[in-house]
Amino acid sequence: MPFVRIDAHDDTGGARLDALGRAVHDALVDTLGIPPDDRFQVLTAHDPARGTLRYDDYLGVHRDAGIVFVAITLRAGRTTGRKEALYRRIAQLAEEYAGTEPRNLFVTLTENTSADWSLGDGLAQYVGSGSC
């Protein structure tokens, strides 16, 4: 049950953000076994002319106006290897679907526990459950 936020410049009427959302979701399904219908995303377009996204060349990675910030919240338990596979797959699919250069992908994972989720109805559905 990941919750995904994507922030990017988009002057395509939402087509780029849609492609990025599909890329991240497909990568989660491919690498972490997330169910295909488990998609919860907030996609936010930023006007490139206003320059509301900030970035530098930290760790020698040259970023530009194609920057994409991806924040994924999910339950803890994945190995470092699975996380690395996720980052690689997001980069591959974002380039394929949205033309985003891998150097422009900034991805963070935030892990929590089953009790930290309510999927509706005021319930903590994962408490006592073994679901994704």
Side-chain angles (χ1 to χ4, degrees):
M1 161 30 112
F3 177 64
V4 176
R5 291 182 175 271
I6 300 175
D7 288 85
H9 291 133
D10 188 358
D11 55 5
T12 67
R16 181 174 188 232
L17 273 174
D18 180 62
L20 290 166
R22 284 186 296 111
V24 172
H25 182 71
D26 288 354
L28 287 162
V29 171
D30 292 350
T31 62
L32 301 185
I34 300 302
D37 65 344
D38 189 351
R39 181 190 318 239
F40 296 91
Q41 300 180 335
V42 175
L43 310 176
T44 305
H46 296 265
D47 179 359
R50 296 189 59 196
T52 56
L53 298 179
R54 304 285 188 262
Y55 52 88
D56 283 313
D57 291 346
Y58 183 64
L59 294 178
V61 179
H62 175 68
R63 298 165 187 87
D64 59 31
I67 189 81
V68 177
F69 293 100
V70 179
I72 302 170
T73 303
L74 70 168
R75 291 189 295 161
R78 278 68 177 202
T79 66
T80 298
R82 302 268 317 257
K83 292 174 187 178
E84 290 173 330
L86 174 65
Y87 303 143
R88 285 190 302 272
R89 189 68 173 144
I90 290 172
Q92 176 188 28
L93 294 178
E95 185 171 34
E96 181 181 328
Y97 295 1
T100 298
E101 295 181 54
R103 67 184 171 84
N104 275 322
L105 282 163
F106 185 96
V107 181
T108 63
L109 296 181
T110 302
E111 297 181 311
N112 59 23
T113 68
S114 295
D116 296 316
W117 296 87
S118 174
L119 308 179
D121 294 327
L123 302 173
Q125 286 87 347
Y126 287 145
V127 173
S129 169
S131 301
C132 293

